[in-house]
């Protein structure tokens, strides 16, 4: 049930960490061990090759789960703005954003118990973001994700991890808790810097 968001500056290593957790890239040192009975799913905007371009949108989603009812798949696709005859479009003619939405639908039609997501709300409109948010509110597994969508982060995350060039700092709470603690830390740093500057001035005088 933990829903962990990785935050930090661009280039801090968030996507690299997520790829290591997903087993997509090797690490320089250390070990990666999945827990007992962990089923992992990974969403990356760059991995559009997970779709079969010869299938329709509906066929692509239904292929993710044996025995899934077409109506259930169409209902889910409707949440991602694939309505009526849209579900019969060939995947090969879809835009990058539409393909991303199909991948998310495939992930949610048969969700694993541990999902890694890299910017899942990119290319989604407001209704799509709300639909994805509602879906993950009901999801009972574990999430680890990166997102710059503050609404999505605020609604979903219950654990924030600040990534800073290899250093991880855990905040065991939601986005508001993280922002509050960061503000306290920044205030403490400012006070420490003022004290240090005052001490330097005093030392120079003496």
């Amino acid at each position: 049930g933990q829903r962990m968001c990785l935050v930090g500056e661009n280039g801090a290593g968030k996507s690299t960490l997520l790829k290591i957790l997903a087993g997509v890239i090797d690490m320089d040192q250390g070990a990666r061990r999945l827990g007992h009975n962990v089923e992992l799913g990974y969403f990356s905007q760059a991995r559009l090759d997970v779709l079969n371009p010869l299938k329709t949108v509906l066929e692509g989603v239904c292929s993710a789960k044996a025995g899934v009812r077409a109506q259930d798949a169409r209902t889910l696709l409707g949440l991602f703005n694939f309505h009526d005859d849209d579900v019969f479009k060939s995947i090969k003619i879809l835009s990058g954003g539409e393909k991303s939405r199909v991948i998310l639908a495939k992930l949610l039609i048969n969700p694993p118990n541990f999902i890694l997501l890299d910017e899942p709300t990119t290319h989604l409109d407001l209704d799509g973001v709300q639909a994805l948010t509602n879906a993950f509110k009901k999801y009972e597994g574990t999430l680890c994700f990166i997102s710059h969508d503050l609404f999505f982060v605020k609604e979903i995350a219950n654990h924030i991890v600040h990534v800073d060039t290899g250093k991880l700092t855990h905040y065991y709470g939601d986005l508001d808790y993280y922002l509050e603690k960061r503000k306290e830390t920044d205030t403490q740093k400012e006070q420490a810097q003022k004290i240090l500057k005052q001490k330097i001035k005093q030392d120079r005088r003496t």
Side-chain angles (χ1 to χ4, degrees):
Q2 191 174 47
R3 301 193 293 268
M4 180 186 303
C5 180
L6 306 180
V7 301
E9 299 293 331
N10 289 335
K14 301 185 299 295
S15 291
T16 299
L17 175 58
L18 204 69
K19 289 175 182 177
I20 289 172
L21 292 174
V24 174
I25 61 175
D26 294 327
M27 63 195 83
D28 296 329
Q29 59 184 347
R32 169 185 175 274
R33 292 186 294 271
L34 289 179
H36 182 61
N37 287 333
V38 170
E39 300 170 1
L40 187 147
Y42 173 54
F43 170 82
S44 168
Q45 298 174 62
R47 295 188 67 208
L48 299 180
D49 55 331
V50 298
L51 297 174
N52 185 337
L54 300 180
K55 291 183 179 293
T56 65
V57 170
L58 182 60
E59 290 171 340
V61 172
C62 287
S63 68
K65 183 179 180 181
V68 65
R69 296 192 312 160
Q71 186 56 48
D72 292 338
R74 293 193 67 160
T75 298
L76 179 61
L77 283 166
L79 296 176
F80 290 100
N81 292 329
F82 289 103
H83 303 289
D84 302 324
D85 289 343
D86 289 343
V87 302
F88 302 116
K89 286 183 178 180
S90 174
I91 288 174
K92 66 182 178 182
I93 68 169
L94 299 180
S95 67
E98 288 172 325
K99 289 177 181 177
S100 291
R101 285 188 269 141
V102 175
I103 294 173
L104 286 168
K106 282 187 68 175
L107 199 60
L108 291 172
I109 198 73
N110 187 28
N113 54 24
F114 180 34
I115 299 179
L116 299 160
L117 303 161
D118 194 348
E119 294 289 354
T121 61
T122 302
H123 303 304
L124 296 182
D125 59 16
L126 292 177
D127 289 339
V129 173
Q130 185 66 66
L132 189 65
T133 301
N134 292 338
F136 280 124
K137 280 184 175 180
K138 298 175 183 177
Y139 175 69
E140 296 179 352
T142 301
L143 287 179
C144 182
F145 66 96
I146 301 167
S147 178
H148 289 92
D149 189 315
L150 291 180
F151 171 78
F152 184 74
V153 176
K154 188 170 184 176
E155 291 291 310
I156 297 299
N158 58 20
H159 183 167
I160 306 292
V161 178
H162 186 259
V163 183
D164 184 11
T165 56
K167 180 183 178 182
L168 306 181
T169 305
H170 292 258
Y171 295 84
Y172 297 93
D174 59 12
L175 180 62
D176 288 337
Y177 176 82
Y178 163 74
L179 293 175
E180 180 183 340
K181 291 299 181 183
R182 289 285 294 178
K183 186 177 180 180
E184 290 177 4
T185 300
D186 291 342
T187 300
Q188 290 171 356
K189 285 181 179 178
E190 289 176 3
Q191 290 174 344
Q193 287 175 350
K194 286 181 181 179
I195 293 172
L196 180 60
K197 287 179 180 179
Q198 289 173 353
K199 187 176 185 306
I200 291 172
K201 286 182 180 179
Q202 289 174 352
D203 291 343
R204 285 175 178 173
R205 287 172 185 171
T206 56

